[in-house]
């Protein structure tokens, strides 16, 4: 995965983390198979794409916990988790 493709995908993840994770969506963006996408992403970042996506969600949840008075169930919904 070229660096510009990596940036495309990670930027997209940063802006869509509240949506369900969908490796197929990301692999289609690069016109490669899902397994190839998973392999290349981990090779480039050192973490699986799903793990990266989860980290984004958790980081955003932490930020909301620290900076808002939202309840945990509201925060979990905002970052894409169905179950607080």
């Amino acid at each position: 995965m070229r660096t510009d493709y990596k940036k495309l995908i990670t930027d997209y993840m940063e802006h869509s983390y509240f949506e369900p994770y969908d490796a197929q969506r990301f692999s289609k963006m690069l016109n490669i198979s899902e397994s190839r996408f998973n392999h290349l992403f981990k090779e480039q970042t050192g973490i699986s794409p799903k793990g990266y996506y989860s980290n984004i969600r958790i980081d955003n949840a932490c930020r909301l916990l620290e900076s808002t008075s939202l309840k945990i169930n509201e925060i979990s919904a905002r970052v894409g988790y169905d179950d607080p």
Side-chain angles (χ1 to χ4, degrees):
M1 182 180 322
R2 292 189 345 223
T3 304
D4 53 334
Y5 290 140
K6 177 184 149 194
K7 178 129 176 67
L8 170 77
I9 297 298
T10 55
D11 283 352
Y12 190 88
M13 287 179 171
E14 292 281 343
H15 292 94
S16 67
Y17 64 87
F18 47 85
E19 297 174 3
Y21 175 77
D22 184 3
Q24 188 176 37
R25 173 181 48 184
F26 301 124
S27 63
K28 283 183 179 181
M29 290 172 68
L30 301 177
N31 199 29
I32 58 176
S33 72
E34 190 175 325
S35 61
R36 184 73 178 143
F37 165 71
N38 288 327
H39 173 78
L40 291 173
F41 191 94
K42 187 168 184 174
E43 184 179 272
Q44 290 290 311
T45 63
I47 188 171
S48 72
K50 189 170 186 173
Y52 189 92
Y53 204 73
S54 293
N55 286 345
I56 294 169
R57 284 179 161 183
I58 292 167
D59 289 346
N60 280 284
C62 289
R63 195 174 2 241
L64 289 170
L65 279 169
E66 293 172 350
S67 65
T68 70
S69 59
L70 294 172
K71 296 177 181 173
I72 290 183
N73 63 329
E74 295 170 313
I75 290 172
S76 65
R78 284 194 183 191
V79 299
Y81 288 111
D82 296 329
D83 184 359

